[in-house]
Amino acid sequence: MKPFDENPRIAVHKFSSCDGCQLAFLNLGGDLLTLTQRVKLTHFLEAGLDDPDTPVDIAFVEGSLSTPDEVKRIHQVRDNCRYLISIGACATAGGLQALRNLDDKHDEWRDAIYARPEFIDTLTHARPIASEVRVDYELWGCPINSRQLVATINSLLFGVPPFDDSEKLCLECKRQQKVCVMVTEDKPCLGPVTRTGCGAICPSFGRDCYGCYGPAENTNTASLSRRFAGMGLVPEAIARRFLLINSASEAFNRAGLAARTAGEDEDGK
Ligand code: SF4
Ligand code: SF4
């Protein structure tokens, strides 16, 4: 890996998403102007730049693959860039849209929600970007934050691989000397299995982490599920802790479905 010969061109692409992760760029404020002295933004619709086809050095992709058109478009993005970086839970794990993967009543939901369902053309499963094309780096979170973004761009500018921040949220929480809401208040915190990056915002405000940064490295979800059960959560409540924003990530999906199956087994007795 080597630095770019000249200021790299950057594109920001939107797929199925709420646009919240693109705000990590706009929230930079004045620093975004400083950044543009080192990079050239070519495509970023939310900032008024509309040029999706020019080849770029770095393509940031927000959102999941939820329609046949998006599957086609992601291949064009991949062909047009040197580094593809997926940003946010939607792009890295399917996001909230992937909740529909847990249900097979897609047609019933569509017909109940939309006035003209015949115009809706979606995939049965919402998928992460890496399920279709090669992804060079992933920034997890719902939403990601500006610090992650700048650190990633700076790393690439210096020709070093971006740091994959996958340690557990509990470590960040302890470094900030927050009082543990699970130990002191019996709140079902997902911090022991969630990757850091958010700055431990929820525990800072006395609430439990709900896993929006996705699974950390070496997760022990089985142990945490037993802890939740010991706190009085029924299996379906445990399942819902895991099956939320990152329900399609492997570790959380496995843990959530295991809790759900345990609940069904209990009901069947
Ligand atoms: S990850 Fe969250 S904030 Fe980012 S686009 Fe998806 S829903 Fe919005
Ligand atoms: S509050 Fe949550 S994130 Fe913080 S130490 Fe306790 S379990 Fe970990």
Side-chain angles (χ1 to χ4, degrees), residues 18 36 98 143 154 164 174 176 194 213 235 254:
C18 79
T36 55
N154 272 338
D164 182 24
K174 291 301 94 188
Q176 292 188 22
T194 298
Y213 269 64
R254 191 169 6 94

Side-chain angles (χ1 to χ4, degrees), residues 16-21 62-63 87-91 95-97 141-144 245:
S16 286
S17 60
C18 79
D19 286 25
C21 288
E62 174 198 84
I87 56 172
C90 300
L96 281 173
Q97 306 90 293
C142 181
I144 62 161
I245 295 168

Side-chain angles (χ1 to χ4, degrees), residues 169-170 173-174 179-182 189 191-192 203:
L169 179 65
C170 289
C173 193
K174 291 301 94 188
V179 174
C180 178
V181 298
M182 184 147 68
C189 186

Side-chain angles (χ1 to χ4, degrees), residues 4 8-13 15 40 42-43 51-62 73-86 129 133-137 156:
F4 302 103
R9 282 173 302 204
I10 292 182
V12 183
H13 294 274
F15 284 68
K40 178 169 174 43
T42 61
H43 174 71
D51 180 9
D53 299 324
T54 294
V56 294
D57 298 289
I58 308 170
F60 287 97
V61 177
E62 174 198 84
R73 193 154 58 88
I74 195 60
H75 285 280
Q76 294 164 350
V77 172
R78 178 68 266 183
D79 292 345
N80 266 344
C81 70
R82 177 170 162 196
Y83 297 115
L84 192 157
I85 303 177
S86 52
I129 301 300
V133 296
R134 179 172 57 82
V135 169
D136 298 293
Y137 304 105
L156 293 175

